[in-house]
Amino acid sequence: MKEYVCIICPRGCHLAVDEENDYAVTGNGCLRGAAYGREEAMHPTRIVTSSVRVRSRIHPRCPVKTDKAIAKSDIMKAMLLLDDVELSPPVRRGDVVIASLFGGEANFIATRDIDE
Amino acid sequence: MHDEYELIVIGGGPAGLGAALSAREHGLERILVVERDVQLGGILNQCIHNGFGLHYFGEELTGPEYAARLIDRLNGQAIDVLCDAMVLEIIPGENGHTLRLMSADCGYRTVGSQAIILAMGCRERTRGAIQIPGTRAAGIFTAGTAQRYVNIEGYMVGRRIIILGSGDIGLIMARRMVLEGATVVACVEIMPYPGGLTRNIVQCLQDFDIPLYLSHTITRIEGKQRVEKVIVQEVDDRFHPIDGTDIAFDVDTVLLSVGLIPENELSRAAGVEIDSKTSGPIVYENGETSVPGIFACGNVLHVHDLVDFVTTESEGAGKAAAEYVLRRIDVLEKRIYEKVSHDDVNLQSPSYDDPQKVACEAEHARASHDDVERSALIDDLSKKLVQGRSYCLSIVRDETISYTVPQRIRVQRVDKQVSVFFRVKNPQKMPKCIVFRDGERIVASFRRPYMMPGEMERVTLTREQLDDVCGNELLISVEEIR
């Protein structure tokens, strides 16, 4: 049995997920909570946001994010990849900074325009 | 830049941007936004995490992305922007206000404006504000300052970190520090419940196994040059440290997330009445402060939990400022009032009280061919106007509610409905009712499954409900469901 606090809405239901019983969820106030509990127990994922170096006159850092959620267990590995990145302006938000993380579908993309 | 504007917005963060865009949309042509940073966007620029925009844009954005959407819209409009500039003083006037400002580009300037929107945001409470005993070592930052260093300037603030306060910025920074390679030893909260959103407790603390100490606080900071150690103690229900509960943490950095204070030095100096509870201006239903023609929105008015609500609130203030300016100069409308007064109706200059509706009704009355009906309609109209002018409701609260915005409602200015924002004082985990009363009678009642002090609540009162109120006070409270 794994326990979680649901984060779908501010109510914060306390969920219990039974891995030995087909990930059955109890304690949820609604169906969205059940879906969240299952996902969280089976393969938790997160969007990762950080920043990278940029050779700009005004901005020393350019913010980035993963455009899809990645496995929670990959977060620190993904962060290490950003250490070696240095961008040059112009940067447009949506520009791919690191493509296809760990061979998957998620990319790190820029989240800000940096003109010069 | 011109010498005269219809509207000057002070602050180019989410509130200022939203207000300027809305004022433009509602017909103002000369608008200036004054921003003290070198770029627009305000604090959103340093909030590089995601979770913004779900309500307003219907998708999950990072702070810079949210800001960029508003800035893109602004760039498409004829709105003047002055960055790297500081407003020094607002001098209110009967026929328009004057601003003194200083900027890198134009030096010291005096600019006139018919309306002003205060959108200066808020600032963080510091160590000095909460009086933590100990040495004055380096390494003590407010969480937002550390956030700016890391996310904008690219400096790391420390290696072993403790966070005081579980507000959202503190939680977000706990995760950010871990991602950047630091160790966060604990997050300490004096209240028995966390201050931030549940999702941030889960995704920023639990995801990284950072312990959260509720009902604890930092009672001592030690270290000569740099912070070396902090002492944390449990507190009793009166927030007094309990002897013998000391825990020592070896850290080099303390981040404070202990509350935000609306930044109202300018407002106070301009004579704007301030609410001691919100530390923001007291406002009417449309965001207008006690000084006519000066409006307020965003975190300068009250500290919001979500930026999406800042944008919505600011759009309301922008619209109200536009109406204020346009009504003052609408010659046609004035002429209609003159026509009405010609019929010997006792009207004082109603240049500002719900004029569109009045104008419409006045025309309707004048168009009537039946003399009796005509004079009855005009009588009716004049009564409404006279009543309307003196009719202002104050919202008062009992001990269950910490504040409301707006604090006052001019009922005749409410078109169809008005939103009232408030926060509850204590966590309400069982279903409760929010009740508005005039004396003993219930004017409106709203059921809520749960309410937390960290989250803003909103209810909507209709014009019909407000018209029914007896007296000039409306009491709001949390009550048991009957």
Side-chain angles (χ1 to χ4, degrees):
Chain A
M1 197 69 99
K2 288 182 179 169
E3 293 185 358
Y4 302 97
V5 178
C6 181
I7 60 167
I8 298 294
C9 85
R11 189 169 179 173
C13 292
H14 290 263
L15 309 176
V17 185
D18 189 353
E19 313 100 297
E20 280 154 26
N21 184 17
D22 194 24
Y23 292 91
V25 180
T26 48
N28 54 306
C30 71
L31 286 175
R32 293 192 303 163
Y36 169 80
R38 264 179 85 83
E39 276 298 299
E40 199 59 17
M42 291 168 77
H43 36 79
T45 60
R46 300 284 185 266
I47 298 273
V48 178
T49 63
S50 187
S51 67
V52 296
R53 284 188 206 89
V54 57
R55 277 186 289 268
S56 156
R57 277 196 314 122
I58 311 163
H59 306 95
R61 307 292 293 185
C62 176
V64 298
K65 70 171 181 186
T66 56
D67 54 3
K68 291 189 180 59
I70 65 169
K72 201 174 132 186
S73 52
D74 284 340
I75 294 177
M76 291 315 283
K77 267 196 293 175
M79 284 297 298
L80 289 177
L81 297 176
L82 294 174
D83 288 352
D84 303 324
V85 175
E86 187 170 34
L87 303 177
S88 295
V91 178
R92 288 278 150 264
R93 55 188 200 270
D95 284 0
V96 174
V97 174
I98 300 177
S100 183
L101 285 167
F102 314 117
E105 287 182 353
N107 310 298
F108 265 118
I109 59 170
T111 55
R112 164 161 212 191
D113 297 341
I114 293 178
D115 295 327
E116 48 179 341
Chain B
M1 198 175 130
H2 305 287
D3 290 328
E4 282 291 332
Y5 283 90
E6 289 174 324
L7 169 66
I8 296 181
V9 179
I10 307 176
L17 293 170
L21 283 166
S22 164
R24 179 77 192 87
E25 196 180 304
H26 287 92
L28 293 194
E29 281 161 6
R30 283 193 165 205
I31 304 174
L32 171 68
V33 178
V34 186
E35 165 58 41
R36 72 178 162 195
D37 203 345
V38 294
Q39 62 205 352
L40 292 173
I43 298 303
L44 280 172
N45 287 327
Q46 69 184 54
C47 298
I48 63 170
H49 55 282
N50 64 328
F52 304 95
L54 273 171
H55 294 264
Y56 188 74
F57 288 113
E59 58 183 298
E60 202 165 353
L61 303 170
T62 64
E65 290 172 314
Y66 191 105
R69 293 215 177 175
L70 296 177
I71 295 167
D72 284 352
R73 283 189 197 170
L74 193 90
N75 288 338
Q77 296 289 339
I79 296 176
D80 287 356
V81 175
L82 183 66
C83 284
D84 210 0
M86 201 60 196
V87 174
L88 305 173
E89 192 182 8
I90 303 167
I91 306 155
E94 290 273 305
N95 295 306
H97 309 299
T98 308
L99 245 70
R100 299 193 199 285
L101 56 87
M102 185 84 96
S103 96
D105 281 346
C106 357
Y108 178 78
R109 285 282 292 265
T110 300
V111 198
S113 186
Q114 294 181 45
I116 289 171
I117 294 182
L118 307 171
M120 294 90 79
C122 59
R123 71 161 79 103
E124 298 177 277
R125 290 177 78 202
T126 60
R127 178 188 181 185
I130 54 168
Q131 302 277 311
I132 308 172
T135 59
R136 292 169 61 179
I140 305 166
F141 303 89
T142 57
T145 301
Q147 189 180 44
R148 185 178 169 101
Y149 278 137
V150 175
N151 294 347
I152 303 265
E153 318 279 348
Y155 298 114
M156 194 57 184
V157 293
R159 287 284 140 208
R160 280 183 66 80
I161 297 169
I162 191 163
I163 295 179
L164 178 62
S166 60
D168 286 311
I169 315 170
L171 300 175
I172 294 289
M173 280 310 289
R175 172 176 63 185
R176 187 78 189 112
M177 292 289 96
V178 174
L179 289 179
E180 289 298 343
T183 303
V184 177
V185 297
C187 177
V188 179
E189 168 62 55
I190 195 167
M191 301 300 285
Y193 50 85
L197 302 172
T198 313
R199 59 172 291 147
N200 286 336
I201 299 286
V202 173
Q203 297 201 344
C204 299
L205 297 185
Q206 292 175 5
D207 273 8
F208 300 96
D209 299 321
I210 300 168
L212 171 61
Y213 291 82
L214 296 173
S215 294
H216 280 70
T217 192
I218 294 178
T219 51
R220 186 156 191 85
I221 297 175
E222 295 175 12
K224 262 196 164 159
Q225 301 293 318
R226 177 84 192 189
V227 174
E228 289 164 16
K229 192 201 280 188
V230 305
I231 306 297
V232 170
Q233 276 180 277
E234 193 177 345
V235 296
D236 63 20
D237 50 13
R238 300 181 61 205
F239 307 116
H240 295 156
I242 302 171
D243 283 346
T245 59
D246 306 26
I247 315 169
F249 289 97
D250 290 324
V251 292
D252 55 29
T253 304
V254 180
L255 298 189
L256 304 173
S257 174
V258 291
L260 300 168
I261 307 167
E263 200 167 336
N264 276 293
E265 285 76 6
L266 274 178
S267 329
R268 277 200 188 85
V272 168
E273 216 180 315
I274 302 290
D275 182 336
S276 64
K277 207 57 216 177
T278 57
S279 302
I282 291 174
V283 289
Y284 293 103
E285 69 297 326
N286 61 352
E288 191 168 13
T289 68
S290 60
V291 179
I294 299 185
F295 299 78
C297 57
N299 279 356
V300 82
L301 178 56
H302 58 131
V303 176
H304 293 60
D305 51 355
L306 297 180
V307 68
D308 302 64
F309 300 142
V310 168
T311 306
T312 314
E313 181 178 276
S314 310
E315 288 176 344
K319 175 172 182 258
E323 283 170 356
Y324 173 84
V325 171
L326 296 176
R327 280 171 186 186
R328 280 166 69 99
I329 58 174
D330 195 327
V331 181
L332 184 75
E333 250 171 37
K334 271 194 192 141
R335 229 181 278 149
I336 293 169
Y337 292 125
E338 277 161 25
K339 278 189 203 165
V340 180
S341 8
H342 261 277
D343 288 318
D344 205 21
V345 174
N346 178 25
L347 289 181
Q348 296 145 26
S349 107
S351 59
Y352 185 26
D353 283 321
D354 210 0
Q356 263 167 357
K357 210 164 156 195
V358 173
C360 195
E361 287 187 29
E363 276 302 275
H364 176 65
R366 285 187 49 76
S368 170
H369 294 295
D370 181 338
D371 276 355
V372 180
E373 187 188 84
R374 187 154 150 268
S375 90
L377 282 171
I378 290 175
D379 265 358
D380 191 37
L381 179 60
S382 76
K383 266 187 215 140
K384 266 193 232 164
L385 283 169
V386 172
Q387 276 175 356
R389 224 181 322 281
S390 59
Y391 196 27
C392 177
L393 285 177
S394 291
I395 302 183
V396 293
R397 55 196 154 69
D398 70 1
E399 70 290 342
T400 57
I401 304 282
S402 36
Y403 73 79
T404 69
V405 167
Q407 293 86 343
R408 296 172 186 164
I409 299 175
R410 294 167 295 201
V411 175
Q412 79 285 359
R413 301 266 183 92
V414 176
D415 189 16
K416 289 193 185 72
Q417 56 192 41
V418 62
S419 290
V420 177
F421 290 96
F422 63 92
R423 283 178 195 258
V424 292
K425 200 163 254 169
N426 298 305
Q428 305 285 349
K429 296 207 162 175
M430 298 306 292
K432 291 279 165 62
C433 272
I434 294 298
V435 178
F436 285 87
R437 294 170 183 273
D438 57 347
E440 286 302 300
R441 198 177 63 98
I442 293 175
V443 174
S445 171
F446 307 88
R447 201 186 153 112
R448 289 286 182 276
Y450 53 87
M451 286 177 282
M452 298 298 277
E455 279 151 26
M456 262 170 45
E457 293 286 335
R458 184 177 75 168
V459 292
T460 302
L461 297 172
T462 64
R463 173 71 191 254
E464 286 74 34
Q465 287 168 333
L466 294 168
D467 277 333
D468 269 358
V469 173
C470 300
N472 49 16
E473 274 191 355
L474 202 50
L475 174 72
I476 174 174
S477 61
V478 176
E479 295 183 13
E480 297 296 332
I481 292 170
R482 320 159 169 236

